[in-house]
Amino acid sequence: MLTAARLGAAALSAALLTGLAAGPALADVPAPTIPDGLYGKSDPTYDGVWRQSLALTALTAGKVTPADSAVGWLTGQQCEDGGWPSYRAAGAACDATFEDSNATAVAIQALVALGGHQEAVDKGVAWLKANQNADGSWAYNPGNPGDANSTGLAVNALFATRTDPAGVAKAGKSAFDGLALFQLGCAAPADQRGAFAYQADPAGGALTPNALAGGQAALAAGGGHLPVATSVHADAAPKALACDAAAAPAPVSHADSGEAVGAYLTAQLAAGGDHLSLTTPGATPTPDYAATAWAALALTQSGHPQQAAGAVDWLAKEGATWTKGGTDAGATATLLLVSQAAHRDTAALTGQLTALGPTPKATEAPAAKTSAPAEKAEKKDGDISQYWFIGVGLLIGVGGGLLLSFQRKRNARL
């Protein structure tokens, strides 16, 4: 219940169980209708805007110009008040209770990446500001307690629009204050410092580290947004949170937040074999692809690509499993964003993602490659033409005076 996709999976599971108990047979449930312009063929009810936004962001970063129908589908999902729901069927009215911060935040980032949608972006940012909690955080749906994932994604959107999160506040609490609510500081055990919890314990208990919360909140803590693009360089490891045993525990400052969570994620990746795991009470931990991807993005954004490299390698190796052979649009887009940030070969992933949606308007890379040979051929023809004229001139200018005159003219052209 940490992202739009995961929230949807839980709700879908509950719906299926209810249907099996007191509803029509599963075989009688009609196949979902996939709207024109949408990436992916699975039911969009719980993740339509999420996966569309990630796909458009990744393709735009890869110099692919998406089809108008793909962009129009996303902008058409926005409600009049500026927010986006996870999905709204064609012709359905907006219901404010179903608008969510996660869909709104990634949609804003996609439209910023695309460019040319300033009015929609401004309305989206206004919606985020209007639905910020009094403690500075954001909830998945307005009116609920805030969580690290939703707050992190909202901060990403603010950074993408060049809006200072420090100036976005409610009741004197800024977006950075909201993010700090979920980060474990010096009061936590040493090996947990810097981690993020999904939500605060309403009873005031200790925060519990959460892999996906850490990954998604870390990108915001490091001042980043989608798409992540940094230069490849050798770097030092992120700095762990420095604690003074004599000082009273305090919230992690924004200045220390990105490095602190980076150090925590680096340690977790090293201990987990270059990936993070999903831990559910009573169940065996399983690899968490999404958490690992966001951790890699966050580390790269913070200037620590070396610490992200192992996770990027692991994701590349396990990518077919995560993306279901390149058929899961959301996972494929996220993996493409990771590969782009790490400056890896992205041709195959770009092709897979492109195939999951409408034919793009243009793809820059192939056009650049095909133009080069023609340019060389043109130069070659020009060189041959020049040599032919020189040869003719030499034959004509047999006399010493004529040859000298020709040479002077030729030298003037070079």
Side-chain angles (χ1 to χ4, degrees):
M1 193 173 163
L2 299 176
T3 65
R6 232 178 240 180
L7 180 71
L12 181 59
S13 298
L16 289 175
L17 289 173
T18 302
L20 289 173
L26 192 58
D28 296 332
V29 177
T33 300
I34 307 302
D36 292 337
L38 180 65
Y39 283 87
K41 303 303 179 185
S42 61
D43 187 347
T45 302
Y46 302 103
D47 76 334
V49 170
W50 177 266
R51 76 193 194 208
Q52 189 78 350
S53 300
L54 294 179
L56 292 175
T57 303
L59 290 175
T60 301
K63 307 303 181 185
V64 175
T65 303
D68 290 339
S69 60
V71 180
W73 186 86
L74 180 62
T75 56
Q77 289 285 296
Q78 188 177 27
C79 295
E80 185 58 34
D81 64 359
W84 272 265
S86 295
Y87 172 74
R88 180 162 59 95
C94 281
D95 184 340
T97 60
F98 290 108
E99 295 171 42
D100 72 74
S101 61
N102 292 219
T104 301
V106 291
I108 289 171
Q109 292 172 79
L111 295 181
V112 170
L114 286 163
H117 300 276
Q118 195 59 49
E119 183 179 354
V121 168
D122 290 343
K123 289 175 64 176
V125 172
W127 185 91
L128 288 176
K129 291 179 177 180
N131 289 283
Q132 184 179 21
N133 287 341
D135 59 10
S137 69
W138 278 267
Y140 182 85
N141 292 117
N144 293 307
D147 62 79
N149 305 69
S150 299
T151 304
L153 290 168
V155 171
N156 294 153
L158 295 176
F159 277 127
T161 60
R162 299 183 179 182
T163 303
D164 184 1
V168 178
K170 278 285 183 73
K173 298 293 184 179
S174 74
F176 288 145
D177 293 327
L179 200 60
L181 292 172
F182 312 106
Q183 189 166 22
L184 282 72
C186 292
D191 62 348
Q192 295 182 7
R193 292 169 185 168
F196 276 87
Y198 170 53
Q199 281 185 317
D201 184 348
L207 297 174
T208 302
N210 181 278
L212 186 55
Q216 290 187 326
L219 181 58
H225 61 82
L226 300 175
V228 171
T230 61
S231 60
V232 178
H233 61 280
D235 60 345
K239 298 178 182 178
L241 189 64
C243 295
D244 182 354
V252 180
S253 69
H254 174 60
D256 297 328
S257 181
E259 287 290 285
V261 67
Y264 172 78
L265 290 173
T266 298
Q268 290 296 302
L269 289 169
D274 293 323
H275 68 274
L276 302 178
S277 296
L278 173 64
T279 55
T280 305
T284 302
T286 56
D288 194 324
Y289 302 103
T292 303
W294 282 90
L297 288 170
L299 286 168
T300 304
Q301 161 65 37
S302 296
H304 304 293
Q306 285 189 344
Q307 282 66 38
V312 176
D313 291 339
W314 182 86
L315 287 166
K317 183 180 68 174
E318 300 293 330
T321 300
W322 181 26
T323 66
K324 299 178 177 66
T327 62
D328 184 317
T332 303
T334 307
L335 184 55
L336 178 54
L337 286 165
V338 171
S339 299
Q340 290 168 342
H343 300 276
R344 302 294 177 88
D345 185 358
T346 59
L349 284 170
T350 301
Q352 289 176 350
L353 185 57
T354 301
L356 295 178
T359 303
K361 294 175 67 175
T363 303
E364 183 176 307
K369 291 180 180 178
T370 56
S371 63
E375 184 181 347
K376 289 182 180 179
E378 191 176 326
K379 286 184 178 181
K380 184 176 180 181
D381 291 342
D383 291 341
I384 293 173
S385 178
Q386 288 178 4
Y387 292 139
W388 186 83
F389 281 115
I390 292 170
V392 172
L394 286 170
L395 289 173
I396 296 173
V398 176
L402 289 176
L403 180 58
L404 181 59
S405 175
F406 172 78
Q407 288 287 1
R408 287 173 178 169
K409 291 179 181 179
R410 180 175 181 271
N411 289 337
R413 290 200 299 268
L414 294 178

